[in-house]
C-alpha cells in the first residue's frame, strides 16, 4: 500500500471504531483547567474543540474563558465585546456566573462564560480583594450547585492565559484536574517542569485536590521524525496521563475560529475533528475515571 492508501485506510478504521464506541456521563462534574505556560501550544484550540466534541456526544459542557484575548469566546460564537457581562464581572464585582453564561450559537449543550477586554486589567484589580485566589471557585461552585439531575454539567473547562498570574491561579484553585496540551516540537517540554512545580505549590497551599490527569499531544506532524520522538519522550515521562490520540497539524482546525466556529462544526469530516472526537470518547468511555490519575513518574508530593 502507498502511504496515502495507508492513511485513508487508517482513517476509515478510526471512524468505524467511533461508530461503535461506548460513552457515558461521568458520575460527577469533571472540572479541568487547560494550562501551559508556553504560548502557542493549542490551549484554546484544545479547549473549544474538545468541549464541542463532548457536547456532540450528549454531554453538558461549560467553558470558562479566562484569557483576556477572548479567543475561546470567539470560537464558540459567544458575544464578548465591550459592554457584555463576562468573567471579569464575576471575579471583580461578584456577579453570579449564571448571569454571564451563554449557550454556544453553533453547538447545543455547550455553554461559555465569555472573556471581555476588561479582563486585561483583572490581574491588578484582584490584588487587594479578599480571597483573591478563590473567587472563581466560589462562583463556580454556586453555579454548579444550581444545576442537578439531567441539568447537571458533565464537564467544565477553564481556558487560561499563557502565564501564572492571578487569573491562572484562580483557574487552578477552581479545578480538580489539569489538562496540559504539549506541542510536538523541539521545545515541547520546556517550561512543563516549571508548570508542574507551580501546580505542586497550588496543591500544597490552595487546592490539595488538584492533579495533572490529562496530557494531550498537539500539532503532531506524521511526516517528521521529530514529532514521533517528542511524543515518545512525553509518554515516557507521563505514562499514565498521556491521551492515546494525538492532534495533527490541520489547516481546518486553524481556519475554524475565523468563522466563529470550532472545527467540529466547521468541518466535521476533517482529520482534526476526528481526532478531537476520539479524545472526547476516551474521556467518556466507561473505563475513564473521574478521579485524577496518579502522579507522573519521577514526580513527588514531598
Amino acid at each position: 500500500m502507498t502511504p496515502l492508501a495507508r492513511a485513508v485506510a487508517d482513517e476509515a478504521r478510526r471512524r468505524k471504531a467511533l461508530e461503535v464506541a461506548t460513552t457515558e456521563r461521568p458520575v460527577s462534574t469533571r472540572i479541568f483547567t487547560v494550562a501551559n505556560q508556553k504560548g502557542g501550544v493549542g490551549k484554546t484550540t484544545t479547549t473549544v474543540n474538545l468541549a464541542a466534541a463532548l457536547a456532540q456526544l450528549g454531554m453538558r459542557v461549560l467553558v470558562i474563558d479566562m484569557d483576556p484575548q477572548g479567543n475561546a469566546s470567539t470560537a464558540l460564537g459567544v458575544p464578548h465585546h465591550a459592554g457584555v457581562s463576562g468573567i471579569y464581572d464575576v471575579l471583580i464585582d461578584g456577579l453570579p456566573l449564571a448571569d454571564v453564561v451563554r449557550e454556544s450559537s453553533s453547538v447545543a449543550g455547550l455553554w461559555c462564560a465569555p472573556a471581555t477586554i476588561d479582563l486585561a486589567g483583572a490581574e491588578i484589580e484582584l490584588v487587594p480583594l479578599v480571597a483573591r485566589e478563590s473567587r472563581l471557585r466560589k462562583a463556580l461552585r454556586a453555579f454548579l450547585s444550581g444545576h442537578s439531575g439531567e441539568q447537571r454539567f458533565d464537564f467544565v473547562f477553564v481556558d487560561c492565559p499563557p502565564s501564572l498570574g492571578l487569573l491562572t491561579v484562580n483557574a487552578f484553585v477552581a479545578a480538580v484536574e489539569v489538562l496540559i496540551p504539549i506541542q510536538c516540537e523541539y521545545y515541547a517540554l520546556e517550561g512543563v517542569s516549571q508548570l508542574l512545580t507551580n501546580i505542586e505549590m497550588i496543591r500544597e497551599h490552595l487546592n490539595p485536590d488538584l492533579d495533572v490527569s490529562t496530557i494531550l499531544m498537539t500539532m503532531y506532524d506524521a511526516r517528521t521524525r521529530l514529532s514521533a520522538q517528542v511524543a515518545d519522550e512525553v509518554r515516557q515521562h507521563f505514562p499514565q496521563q498521556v491521551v492515546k490520540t494525538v492532534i495533527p497539524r490541520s489547516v481546518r482546525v486553524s481556519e475554524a475560529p475565523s468563522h466563529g466556529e470550532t472545527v467540529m462544526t466547521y468541518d466535521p469530516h476533517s482529520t482534526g475533528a476526528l481526532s478531537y472526537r476520539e479524545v472526547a470518547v476516551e474521556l467518556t468511555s466507561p473505563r475513564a475515571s473521574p478521579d485524577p490519575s496518579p502522579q507522573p513518574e519521577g514526580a513527588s508530593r514531598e
Side-chain angles (χ1 to χ4, degrees):
M1 295 179 68
T2 65
L4 178 58
R6 283 197 297 270
V8 171
D10 180 64
E11 186 168 319
R13 175 191 58 77
R14 292 164 61 192
R15 293 186 186 280
K16 187 174 182 179
L18 283 177
E19 292 176 1
V20 298
T22 302
T23 62
E24 62 183 26
R25 298 180 70 184
V27 296
S28 60
T29 303
R30 298 183 67 179
I31 306 174
F32 288 87
T33 285
V34 183
N36 192 324
Q37 291 172 228
K38 188 176 185 299
V41 299
K43 289 188 297 297
T44 299
T45 300
T46 293
T47 299
V48 298
N49 287 300
L50 181 53
L54 287 164
Q56 289 179 343
L57 289 176
M59 306 293 152
R60 287 172 55 84
V61 187
L62 171 65
V63 170
I64 299 177
D65 193 352
M66 291 286 282
D67 190 337
Q69 297 182 72
N71 292 334
S73 306
T74 298
L76 296 179
V78 175
H80 60 102
H81 53 78
V84 172
S85 296
I87 200 67
Y88 168 87
D89 303 278
V90 174
L91 296 174
I92 305 300
D93 299 328
L95 192 68
L97 194 56
D99 290 354
V100 306
V101 168
R102 300 288 183 271
E103 188 167 12
S104 170
S105 60
S106 57
V107 182
L110 176 56
W111 283 261
C112 176
T116 61
I117 190 61
D118 295 329
L119 196 60
E123 294 278 6
I124 297 174
E125 295 181 63
L126 279 168
V127 172
L129 299 184
V130 175
R132 61 191 182 188
E133 299 93 351
S134 58
R135 296 178 75 86
L136 178 61
R137 177 171 64 181
K138 180 181 178 182
L140 180 57
R141 285 182 174 178
F143 176 78
L144 293 177
S145 67
H147 296 78
S148 58
E150 291 299 316
Q151 296 302 309
R152 171 175 64 84
F153 279 87
D154 300 299
F155 290 88
V156 176
F157 293 94
V158 186
D159 185 34
C160 297
S163 64
L164 193 71
L166 281 172
L167 292 178
T168 302
V169 170
N170 263 270
F172 281 140
V173 173
V176 177
E177 303 180 60
V178 180
L179 189 161
I180 304 178
I182 298 182
Q183 186 179 9
C184 292
E185 292 194 356
Y186 184 72
Y187 292 113
L189 294 176
E190 183 176 313
V192 172
S193 59
Q194 183 60 48
L195 174 62
L196 295 176
T197 299
N198 291 332
I199 291 173
E200 185 63 36
M201 292 174 61
I202 297 292
R203 181 164 40 226
E204 182 177 349
H205 298 288
L206 297 169
N207 183 6
D209 297 324
L210 186 66
D211 213 342
V212 177
S213 67
T214 310
I215 293 177
L216 180 64
M217 304 298 299
T218 64
M219 304 181 189
Y220 185 87
D221 189 344
R223 300 170 299 178
T224 67
R225 186 176 300 175
L226 176 62
S227 285
Q229 290 175 340
V230 171
D232 289 342
E233 186 174 353
V234 172
R235 290 189 178 102
Q236 289 175 10
H237 281 82
F238 308 99
Q240 303 298 321
Q241 288 81 4
V242 177
V243 176
K244 294 179 181 178
T245 304
V246 296
I247 306 300
R249 283 193 176 276
S250 170
V251 173
R252 308 303 274 174
V253 170
S254 301
E255 287 177 347
S258 66
H259 296 269
E261 297 184 58
T262 67
V263 74
M264 308 308 298
T265 56
Y266 177 68
D267 190 353
H269 301 293
S270 66
T271 304
L274 170 62
S275 298
Y276 278 112
R277 196 171 292 116
E278 287 177 321
V279 177
V281 167
E282 281 194 56
L283 290 182
T284 55
S285 69
R287 296 182 302 276
S289 170
D291 299 322
S293 300
Q295 282 287 287
E297 288 183 351
S300 172
R301 290 183 181 272
E302 296 301 317

